[in-house]
Structures are given as C-alpha cells and as structure tokens.
Amino acid sequence: MSKSSTGRGKNNKTRERSPNPGLYQQLQAIVSRLNALEDNSRSGIATVVERQPAVESSGSAGSAVVPCVVLASEQSTTPPLVPTPVPRVSADDCVAAEVAGKINVQISNTSKMYDKWVKLPMPLDFKIYVFNVTNRDAINQGEKPNLKEIGPYVYKQYREKIILGYGDNDTIKYNLKKTFVFDPVASGDLREDDELTVINFSYMAAIISVQEMMPAAVGMINRALEQFFTNLTDPFQTVKVKDLFFDGLFLNCEGDNTALGLICGKIRAEKPPTMRISKSANGFYFSMFSHMNRTVSGPYEMVRGTENLSDLGHVISYQGKRIMSAWDDQYCGQLNGTDSTIFPPLEDGNIPEKLYTFEPDICRSLFASLVGKDTLFNISTYYYEISDMTLGSKSANPDNKCFCKRNWSVKHDGCLLMGVLNLAPCQGAPAIASLPHFYLGSDELADFFGDGIKPDKEKHNTYVHLDPITGVVIKGVKRLQFNIELRNVPSVPQLKEVPSGLFPLLWIEEGAEIPEWLRKEIMDSHTMLWYVDAARWLVLAVAVVAVLVSATLVARSAALIPWPRNSNSISFILGNSVNTSKVHS
C-alpha cells in the first residue's frame, strides 16, 4: 500500500500583530474559492486545484488506481498574516473516475456499456397469453363470451442494433433486429402445436373496415371473404398457436369471386406487416408476430449523450420522421423518451415524475409514473409504473383527445372509454390496444364477458426499476393486449346473432432483469462514481476548514475572541476516523 505523508508543524505559538487590511482581501478570495468549489460540486464537475502524479503501487508494473482523496497541505509555523493555503487535491484519478463514470453510460464505442447496448447480453423473455373461447356456440346465439387464458408461451427474444452511422447534434442512427426462439422449458406443458379457439382477428378487421367505408358493400365483400378464409362459419377459428404467432394462417386468393380479386390486390398493394405472400400458392399468410422475426425496425435516430448526458437515449426521429403523422397532431405525434433499452442517469433533486418510451408499434410514446424509491438486488432504484392516465379517456386526461381520430366501435368514439387505444390510424386496421384483461380500463369492457376477464395489478401491470446512477433498467416488464371488436352485423350470416363488444385475442409481456454478473458491473460503476462524489465533499470540507482557520487568524489578530491553541479543525470536520496523512491506493 503506497503512502504519501504530509508534514505538520508542532509549534502552534503565534505572535500577535495588528490587523492588516490585506488579510481580509485574502479571506474574501478564499470565500470566493469556496463558492466556486460548491458550484462545481453541484454541477457534477470534479474540481482540480493541483494535479498530483499517480502513486506507484509497490510490486506493480504500472501506476496504481488511487481513490479520489484530499491531500492535506503542509502547515508550518508561518505567521498568521500569511493565509492558510488552499488544500491541494489529487486530481488525476478524480477526473479520470468522473470521465469514466460518464463515458461508461454514453452511447460511444469507448463506453463500457456500448457493446451491451448494441447487442443485449441476455435475451428478453417474450411471453404470449392467448384467450381461448370456451362457449363458441353460445356466443353465436347472443350470450356473453366465456374465455380461458392459456399461457405463457415463452420465447427468448434476442435484440441487436445495426449501426447505420452518426449524425449531427450528437446522434446515432440504427436499425433494431429481433429474433424469437421458442423456449419449451420455460413454457412448461405448453407446446407450439397446441390448438386453441380464438376470435378471427383478420376477418373481423376486414368486415369492420368495409362497414366503415362502404356499408352497402358488406354483403358482397363477405361472400368473397368466405373464399378468402377457410371454413368461415362464424367469427371464430381453431388454430395452432405457432401459426397464429409466427408461421402464419393461410388466406386463399384463388376463386371466382370478383371481390376476392379486389381484396387480394389491396393487400398486395398495401403490404400490411402481418401479411406475407405465399411462395407456393396464390394467397397470403397472416400471423401476429412473424414480421418482427423476419424484418428489422427503424431506422431510429437517438441522442448519444456524449455532449449532454441528460439527453442520453432520447429518440428524435423514427423512419426519418420527427413527428408521427398517424395522429395529425403535433402533441400526440411527438417522439418522447427512449426506446426503453437505455435511460439517462437521474439527478438527485430532479427526478422526473414521468418516464417516457417511444413505441413504434403503436405510433406513440407512453409514460410510466414515479411511485418512489425501492431496493432490488441490493441496488437502490426508482420504481415507475403505468398509470390510469396513460390510456385515460379524453374526459379523464384531456391531453389524450388527439388520439381520438377515428371511431372504433358502433358505440364509442376513438377514446371515450378508459384504458384503450385505437390503433387504426397507426396500423391501418381497426385493432385496439389495452392493458391485459383491461386492467385500468372501464368496467364496461370487463362486463361484456361472462367469465375469463379478471384484471389484476400484480399480473397485468407495466413497470420498471431504474438505477439512477447509470440509467440501466434493473428489472422491467411491459405488457400489452390486442383486441378487435366483435360486432353484430345483421346482413352478415356469421355475425347476425353475436353480441357487440371489445374482444381480446392475446396479450404479450416483454421483460427482463439484469443477471448477477451484470449487477456486479453496475455496483462497480457505483463505486467509481462514489469516489468522485466523496472527493467533492472532502474538497468542500477542507475548503471550509481553510476558511475557518483563516477566520481564526483574523479574529486572533483583531483580538476579537479567544481561541484554543491546539484544536485540530480537520479532525473535527472529518471525524476521528479520517487519517489525513495517508493516501490509499
């Protein structure tokens, strides 16, 4: 262990002299110095008074890493009219720790976190819960639906960013690639070959769209859809879950119905992401998530945080757009927040009440609200969770009124009900997003069902535990449900008896918690930045001592007050446990 000693004068006797105006000027300079130190400590800048060489560690080939500590300046029997020297700081390692602490969380190829940001070191858990219809015939006779939730079907989701380049204003541009792999162990007894009965999502979307645009053509289009969909007897279908999720359900374009050609031509022209062209037959495959497994999303343009750390991770454009045009509104279309994989460090005294993330699949930003401090894996975190105002109705949250672009129901406008978001402006199909089991939604949504809808905060909440020092998500879960309206349409045989109400297909959960080895890296980052923080306060404390000693000299010379001759001000301020004559490597 290396040591650096400082000498201390043992003779504390002084000579009394008359006051000197120059001493007050010197004291004023020290007070100004203290103010500068305090300002710097508030702004997060390590103060450098005098650079000291790194202390070589015995038995080491290179320089040892020296914690940020204060070196007490030499004190001798100098007459009191000479001001107490400003303390010297061992600054090389303080500044290095400060810079390293910031660099480690920036999006830069020199950052310790950069590789982990580009390619997540562990997969996310992507869980799918399906609503199995248990009283199909009864619903077709107008009774309330009964559902049974089946899941989770667990997939490992691997994420990797493809860097496209760097832009102006400290930005980076990238595409996001996701890969999903079924996890049979985590899925338990569930298998991808399981067959379930679910709402026919694409059929209901087609009927609702036609009824909105051309009500008189619904009957004609429905006859074409009877060829497009296999065995179309009602608004439900029995499917293998792997086909619903990724492999695809075949939709036929071979037939003699003129309207069928129009339907298939429209799909070919618009290329909806949930449809892919069949390579072996005349038709398409519909699936909920295959597009996420075979294409990249983006490009995103994000702030790197190398110039202003508080802007780290902020998404400023998506696919070249700074405003999402789906909502025809500057407020609702703004890109607010990060892509949920990275956040800027939080500043004490300036903790945001809302944490925003941009969700391209729904063409908008969502926020979680601050609940308070928490501790997870022995790491102090801030805990945020989604609130009822995020998807609040326009009466509860007037800011949401610009999301009410189109009607989604025969009963309601775009956001009359609590807890739902109309995705039609974003996705081009009348899909409705909500939290699982209509959690935080209107009671009317759950009352439509006889059984199977049971909102539960513990199971259906969306939340995040955020490390305030690095901005790393210690644990987070994001949950979203996809719904379509089951609509009574008297002119359509398959729908003439069914009740009308919002019907869920499935809900998903994306979540992860940092593994144990990564927790250690987080704690190491905390330790490094703790040294910096400790140094700031030690510098400030010793500066206070300098002012006290200088003030003492003034008081003595003016004979204003008696003062103990042998008081150790540094020990008094820092405590008996602080040894000011040692530097620990």
Side-chain angles (χ1 to χ4, degrees), residues 371-407:
V371 177
K373 284 188 173 182
D374 202 352
T375 300
L376 192 65
F377 310 128
N378 292 321
I379 299 174
S380 179
T381 68
Y382 280 93
Y383 175 71
Y384 289 82
E385 67 180 20
I386 199 166
S387 76
D388 56 357
M389 290 297 99
T390 305
L391 298 178
S393 65
K394 62 185 179 184
S395 58
N397 183 1
D399 288 339
N400 280 347
K401 64 182 180 181
C402 45
F403 292 115
C404 306
K405 186 176 178 182
R406 296 183 189 173
N407 293 344

Side-chain angles (χ1 to χ4, degrees), residues 463-512:
Y463 63 86
V464 62
H465 289 268
L466 196 64
D467 172 39
I469 296 178
T470 62
V472 171
V473 175
I474 304 302
K475 182 178 181 179
V477 173
K478 179 170 62 178
R479 297 170 171 133
L480 196 66
Q481 180 172 296
F482 295 95
N483 314 274
I484 192 79
E485 186 186 14
L486 176 63
R487 180 178 295 186
N488 180 284
V489 183
S491 61
V492 175
Q494 293 86 349
L495 301 173
K496 64 181 181 180
E497 300 291 343
V498 300
S500 293
L502 196 59
F503 208 104
L505 172 64
L506 55 81
W507 64 274
I508 60 174
E509 174 184 311
E510 285 183 316

Side-chain angles (χ1 to χ4, degrees), residues 419-567:
V420 298
L421 174 68
N422 183 12
L423 297 182
C426 174
Q427 299 292 350
I432 306 296
S434 71
L435 298 181
H437 287 250
F438 303 112
Y439 171 63
L440 298 180
S442 171
D443 291 341
E444 177 184 324
L445 297 168
D447 290 343
F448 176 67
F449 299 91
D451 191 27
I453 298 296
K454 300 174 182 178
D456 185 327
K457 180 177 181 179
E458 293 299 318
K459 297 178 180 179
H460 307 140
N461 194 18
T462 289
Y463 63 86
V464 62
H465 289 268
L466 196 64
D467 172 39
I469 296 178
T470 62
V472 171
V473 175
I474 304 302
K475 182 178 181 179
V477 173
K478 179 170 62 178
R479 297 170 171 133
L480 196 66
Q481 180 172 296
F482 295 95
N483 314 274
I484 192 79
E485 186 186 14
L486 176 63
R487 180 178 295 186
N488 180 284
V489 183
S491 61
V492 175
Q494 293 86 349
L495 301 173
K496 64 181 181 180
E497 300 291 343
V498 300
S500 293
L502 196 59
F503 208 104
L505 172 64
L506 55 81
W507 64 274
I508 60 174
E509 174 184 311
E510 285 183 316
E513 62 183 45
I514 60 171
E516 187 173 353
W517 64 267
L518 192 52
R519 294 172 207 166
K520 184 178 185 304
E521 288 194 17
I522 298 295
M523 297 302 293
D524 289 344
S525 297
H526 289 191
T527 302
M528 177 180 292
L529 293 175
W530 180 87
Y531 282 139
V532 176
D533 196 53
R536 292 176 187 145
W537 288 106
L538 286 171
V539 168
L540 193 58
V542 178
V544 170
V545 171
V547 173
L548 291 175
V549 173
S550 298
T552 300
L553 299 179
V554 174
R556 287 178 182 171
S557 62
L560 296 175
I561 56 173
W563 196 263
R565 299 295 185 185
N566 296 310
S567 68

Side-chain angles (χ1 to χ4, degrees), residues 22 24 55 118 143 158 287 305 315 338 375 402 407 416 418 454 477 517 525 547:
Y24 292 97
V55 181
V118 170
E143 296 186 18
Y158 298 87
S287 63
V315 177
T338 76
T375 300
C402 45
N407 293 344
L416 180 61
M418 289 288 290
K454 300 174 182 178
V477 173
W517 64 267
S525 297
V547 173

Side-chain angles (χ1 to χ4, degrees), residues 106-117:
Q106 295 169 350
I107 302 176
S108 166
N109 53 16
T110 60
S111 166
K112 191 174 183 180
M113 293 294 180
Y114 178 76
D115 290 341
K116 299 177 181 64
W117 175 77

Side-chain angles (χ1 to χ4, degrees), residues 148-169:
K148 182 179 181 181
E149 178 184 283
I150 307 296
Y153 293 89
V154 183
Y155 291 80
K156 294 300 183 186
Q157 180 190 152
Y158 298 87
R159 289 191 174 194
E160 183 175 2
K161 296 177 177 70
I162 303 168
I163 307 303
L164 303 177
Y166 298 87
D168 298 331
N169 301 320

Side-chain angles (χ1 to χ4, degrees), residues 174 300-303 310-317 334-344 354-359 364-368:
Y174 64 91
Y300 298 78
E301 188 176 6
M302 175 185 285
V303 179
S310 63
D311 289 334
L312 172 68
H314 181 65
V315 177
I316 63 172
S317 77
Q334 66 181 319
L335 305 186
N336 202 357
T338 76
D339 68 352
S340 79
T341 63
I342 190 170
F343 294 91
K354 296 178 180 178
L355 202 64
Y356 283 88
T357 61
F358 171 64
E359 306 293 342
R364 64 165 291 187
S365 294
L366 296 175
F367 67 85

